[in-house]
Amino acid sequence: MSAEATNPEARSEARPELRRRGRTRLDLRRLGRAALLGPTSRDRLPDAIGHVAEAHRAHHPDADLSILRRAYVLAESSHRGQMRKSGEPYITHPLAVTLILAELGAETTTLTASLLHDTVEDTEVTLDQVREEFGDEVCFIVDGVTKVEKIDYGAAAEPETFRKMLVATGNDVRVMSIKLADRLHNMRTLGVMRPDKQARIAKVTRDVLIPLAERLGVQALKTELEDLVFAILHPEEYEHTRALIAAHAGERDPLPAIAESVRVVLREAGIHAEVLVRPRHFVSVHRISRKRGELRGSDFGRLLILVGENADCYGVLGELHTCFTPVVSEFKDFIAVPKFNLYQSLHTAFATSDGHVAEVIVRTRQMHRVAEAGVVALGNPYATAAATAAATAAAAASGATAGSAEACADPYEERVDPTRPGWLSRLLDWQQSAPDPDTFWSVLRAELAQDREITVFRADGGAPATISLPGGASCIDAAYAQYGEAAHGCIGARVNGRLTSLTSRLSDGDTVQLLLAHDASSGPSADWLEHAHTPAARIAISSWLKDHPDGAAATTTAARAPLSVVGARGGGGNAVADLPDATVRLAGCCTPVPPDAVAGFVVRGGAVTVHRVQCAAVAQMRSLGRTSVAVHWRATADCRVTLLAESFGRPHLLADLTEAIAREGVEVVSATVEPPVEQRVRHSYTLQLPDATGLPALMRAMRDVPGVYDVSRA
């Protein structure tokens, strides 16, 4: 039973500006008394849910309302005698929650479950009775909404409650739709609670439920919840904003005149559109005032233009930008690139001749419905409209829907909602591994604070072909999303074909190839946590570092000086200069080998330095007027060459590379390893080959060493 209930009239009278414009406030106290007084004929809907039926028929004209009547009768009889803290009958609460959902366009099954959402928790009604009377679908949703734990867990109560809600939502988003409407009604009627309890409930609503409403696309609930929370947690700023809106109400509003100008422009262009002035809600006005300082008359609202087809949206945009002065920085196309919460619209702004700037939203009527109701507008995610209607009719005729008796026994494992968004799948994946309620709670809040989602493509062609990540995610997040704990061995990535470090941020549409080390001792470093944004990545990295303190310490040691290994041999290899008794040296800048075309130049001391003809030093010598010396190769096949190997840092890499070189029968004359930069290491090897023809095979062998991504001539 919801304890956060009080007199709805008192709340609306205290803050009438929070009423939704155009909505008739119902006298729920009167409806509750009517529900308790007198029998209702079984061949018609009870008077108390007449408003629900009217709102439901506005969205679903052909809906069969008989199941709503039966659900109301069961809810009213089971809650009879229970009262809210304000003294009104408890049935007024499920009625109000159901009316909120009906106004958003929820389908009949959702409304039925909404009427019954507290019966299993707070009355003698059981899930078996709900299943027998209303079928598996309603039973499943009611079971998902029911608060399983009835005892007070103290500080851990809210995290555990929301963990269960999260899992239930993953199985059917209609569960969260009912929970959001439930919280909205409780927030509307929060006035009789103690101030400290009001603040606690408002903070949870702000931190978790409002972000969930945003992510589920239910803007109508989200905006009203924001205003109610704003009034409780920031009363002074709320009063200041209320005063701004009240002062604006007494002034001339320029938006109606601008809207009429837009109507004329669109009418002349032959575009059928509805142009509305949409006032901003309190929190929106507060944000605009903080951003812009002194508010202008046009800042208190926006123009909403509704059209029939997608193409008309762009037609409207063209006319606005042609006939008015557009503010280019304000243009956003959420039709071509929808937001992660189903939202689609065109956003723009233009300046009028008298200096006003009007912000404009352009969308189709279907986009508008989805923008307001989000997942609620999707209806039943498990059936087509025809199947839903057939199931409802069958339930009305038989009193139950066909299905397995175990269908709602465990709502957390039976099925997965096909409309589940990517962010919800991620939350469900990591919540199972969250070690304790506090970690779950903090990470959940951080995840919900992300207001943007990106999609990246896998370069390996594996399934799934795409990975959904929050905005700002790095290659580290992609690695853990794709490989789970196996990502501990990730040593690098290619993004759009280019090598990059794991800490690189990803953009929407990037193609990612992740490179894993074959060394079982490889693991993440502590600095990965600074670049990991997803809960799954952060929890996995933290767990590994906790289990491997030595490994974590080793990865954070200070950069070392370059390591050099120098052999005993030197000289010009098998190069011979056409200069008697001259000492010949192979240039270290290009390390020529047979059969490279070469040129020699005399340097100080009479020695001849041999370069490849493509070497930049050759062009420089000739530009200075230096005469080259003819050089040729001896018949012997051995040669000396310098190779550069670039790799991702990992344990035992130097040993593996030198072992690969030795297997090819090549002698290491000298080797230099530079300090790692962004987990990448550069190696330089001067090698003595017994046969120059073995150079390609040697380079392939070095590239095959795990972690090495490139080997080239110096």
Side-chain angles (χ1 to χ4, degrees):
M1 183 184 299
S2 298
E4 301 85 359
T6 185
N7 188 345
E9 294 92 345
R11 181 69 179 180
S12 62
E13 289 172 5
R15 293 193 172 94
E17 63 279 1
L18 294 182
R19 297 179 185 176
R20 184 172 300 281
R21 285 176 170 82
R23 172 185 292 171
T24 302
R25 262 307 173 189
L26 301 181
D27 188 344
L28 295 176
R29 184 189 296 275
R30 181 185 60 79
L31 293 179
R33 285 197 296 267
L36 296 175
L37 298 175
T40 301
S41 173
R42 297 188 62 83
D43 60 354
R44 68 184 181 89
L45 287 168
D47 292 339
I49 59 169
H51 292 282
V52 173
E54 181 182 349
H56 187 39
R57 279 282 172 84
H59 293 277
H60 304 277
D62 300 326
D64 185 349
L65 302 180
S66 60
I67 191 173
L68 288 180
R69 182 190 67 80
R70 292 189 290 110
Y72 171 76
V73 170
L74 176 60
E76 188 278 320
S77 60
S78 59
H79 286 298
R80 186 172 297 169
Q82 295 177 352
M83 310 298 285
R84 308 195 82 202
K85 283 201 168 185
S86 59
E88 59 202 19
Y90 189 81
I91 189 62
T92 58
H93 173 66
L95 271 173
V97 172
T98 306
L99 180 60
I100 291 170
L101 293 169
E103 290 179 328
L104 289 174
E107 38 81 47
T108 309
T109 302
T110 303
L111 299 186
T112 304
S114 176
L115 284 168
L116 301 170
H117 77 272
D118 276 337
T119 55
V120 174
E121 178 189 356
D122 295 336
T123 74
E124 299 300 320
V125 176
T126 66
L127 280 175
D128 288 336
Q129 288 177 289
V130 173
R131 182 191 302 112
E132 181 181 357
E133 180 70 17
F134 301 99
D136 296 328
E137 199 77 17
V138 173
C139 170
F140 187 92
I141 300 173
V142 171
D143 193 21
V145 176
T146 299
K147 297 174 182 175
V148 180
E149 301 292 343
K150 296 184 179 181
I151 61 175
D152 185 5
Y153 287 97
E158 288 291 0
E160 284 304 311
T161 298
F162 282 103
R163 186 197 290 266
K164 293 180 176 69
M165 288 168 51
L166 189 66
V167 176
T169 301
N171 296 313
D172 196 322
V173 293
R174 292 174 292 181
V175 171
M176 184 54 71
S177 300
I178 295 174
K179 274 307 224 182
L180 288 172
D182 175 89
R183 178 54 63 99
L184 175 57
H185 182 244
N186 285 333
M187 288 294 297
R188 285 175 176 175
T189 60
L190 205 59
V192 296
M193 304 300 296
R194 298 192 313 270
D196 61 323
K197 192 166 186 179
Q198 288 187 41
R200 182 182 67 82
I201 295 171
K203 287 177 181 177
V204 172
T205 304
R206 176 197 63 193
D207 293 342
V208 177
L209 285 176
I210 288 176
L212 278 174
E214 167 74 15
R215 285 172 172 261
L216 293 172
V218 195
Q219 294 296 320
L221 300 186
K222 178 229 174 189
T223 54
E224 189 171 351
L225 283 172
E226 280 185 329
D227 284 350
L228 292 166
V229 167
F230 183 44
I232 293 172
L233 298 183
H234 305 282
E236 294 182 0
E237 295 180 3
Y238 167 81
E239 288 300 330
H240 174 70
T241 305
R242 186 194 62 77
L244 287 176
I245 294 175
H248 169 70
E251 300 175 355
R252 177 180 173 274
D253 188 349
L255 285 178
I258 297 174
E260 184 57 35
S261 300
V262 171
R263 292 188 190 99
V264 172
V265 167
L266 298 181
R267 192 182 307 122
E268 292 177 351
I271 299 176
H272 298 285
E274 184 178 2
V275 182
L276 306 171
V277 175
R278 185 168 191 172
R280 293 183 184 273
H281 65 291
F282 272 52
V283 172
S284 180
V285 172
H286 173 66
R287 289 171 182 159
I288 291 293
S289 66
R290 294 187 62 180
K291 177 181 177 181
R292 300 177 182 172
E294 185 177 352
L295 295 180
R296 300 162 297 186
S298 57
D299 290 332
F300 289 87
R302 292 184 287 188
L303 298 185
L304 174 63
I305 302 178
L306 302 178
V307 295
E309 303 292 338
N310 287 20
D312 293 336
C313 294
Y314 294 98
V316 169
L317 183 69
E319 292 298 324
L320 293 180
H321 285 191
T322 300
C323 299
F324 302 95
T325 303
V327 181
V328 179
S329 61
E330 296 294 327
F331 173 67
K332 296 181 180 67
D333 188 346
F334 295 118
I335 295 178
V337 185
K339 297 177 75 172
F340 61 86
N341 60 0
L342 310 177
Y343 181 88
Q344 287 184 287
S345 292
L346 295 178
H347 288 206
T348 190
F350 61 81
T352 63
S353 58
D354 53 359
H356 291 292
V357 175
E359 295 185 31
V360 184
I361 300 173
V362 185
R363 58 174 69 137
T364 66
R365 290 174 177 82
Q366 175 60 22
M367 291 175 191
H368 181 62
R369 182 181 174 222
V370 173
E372 291 294 293
V375 294
V376 178
L378 298 179
N380 186 344
Y382 302 97
T384 62
T388 303
T392 304
S398 63
T401 304
S404 167
E406 295 81 22
C408 67
D410 187 352
Y412 308 139
E413 298 181 0
E414 288 294 323
R415 60 183 179 180
V416 174
D417 189 339
T419 63
R420 176 193 293 176
W423 62 265
L424 182 54
S425 296
R426 291 198 305 273
L427 289 178
L428 291 168
D429 289 340
W430 67 258
Q431 66 85 25
Q432 298 177 356
S433 60
D436 56 75
D438 290 337
T439 299
F440 167 78
W441 187 245
S442 61
V443 179
L444 172 63
R445 292 172 60 180
E447 169 71 8
L448 293 178
Q450 299 286 342
D451 60 355
R452 191 171 63 88
E453 186 167 279
I454 63 173
T455 300
V456 298
F457 297 89
R458 292 176 55 175
D460 58 7
T466 61
I467 304 173
S468 296
L469 298 168
S474 66
C475 294
I476 295 172
D477 299 303
Y480 282 95
Q482 181 172 337
Y483 293 112
E485 291 189 357
H488 292 331
C490 199
I491 55 176
R494 292 181 184 270
V495 178
N496 303 324
R498 297 174 63 89
L499 282 160
T500 186
S501 66
L502 284 173
T503 58
S504 299
R505 282 195 173 192
L506 296 170
S507 300
D508 199 30
D510 281 345
T511 299
V512 182
Q513 178 186 1
L514 299 160
L515 309 175
L516 299 183
H518 299 289
D519 190 342
S521 64
S522 297
S525 62
D527 62 351
W528 283 22
L529 287 173
E530 299 178 10
H531 304 280
H533 292 264
T534 59
R538 295 186 61 82
I539 290 175
I541 295 168
S542 299
S543 177
W544 191 94
L545 294 174
K546 182 178 180 181
D547 295 339
H548 301 80
D550 295 338
T555 59
T556 57
T557 55
R560 300 164 298 180
L563 171 65
S564 296
V565 180
V566 182
R569 295 188 57 176
N574 53 355
V576 179
D578 293 343
L579 194 63
D581 301 325
T583 302
V584 178
R585 296 192 182 98
L586 299 179
C589 56
C590 58
T591 58
V593 298
D596 292 342
V598 291
F601 294 89
V602 179
V603 295
R604 289 181 181 179
V608 175
T609 303
V610 180
H611 298 264
R612 297 163 64 189
V613 295
Q614 298 91 345
C615 181
V618 172
Q620 183 178 10
M621 292 283 193
R622 287 174 176 168
S623 67
L624 295 174
R626 304 285 291 275
T627 303
S628 63
V629 177
V631 179
H632 65 274
W633 299 106
R634 290 195 186 101
T636 180
D638 69 321
C639 65
R640 180 174 295 186
V641 65
T642 299
L643 298 180
L644 299 178
E646 295 185 79
S647 66
F648 295 104
R650 66 171 179 83
H652 314 303
L653 178 61
L654 180 59
D656 291 346
L657 268 170
T658 53
E659 182 182 352
I661 293 170
R663 283 198 302 265
E664 297 297 317
V666 176
E667 178 186 352
V668 178
V669 177
S670 66
T672 301
V673 182
E674 299 177 5
V677 177
E678 294 186 346
Q679 298 179 322
R680 286 182 283 184
V681 183
R682 182 182 174 95
H683 306 250
S684 177
Y685 295 93
T686 300
L687 307 171
Q688 190 73 27
L689 279 71
D691 191 335
T693 59
L695 181 59
L698 171 64
M699 296 175 70
R700 283 195 298 270
M702 294 175 67
R703 288 193 188 102
D704 289 340
V705 174
V708 177
Y709 58 81
D710 193 22
V711 176
S712 61
R713 295 272 300 275

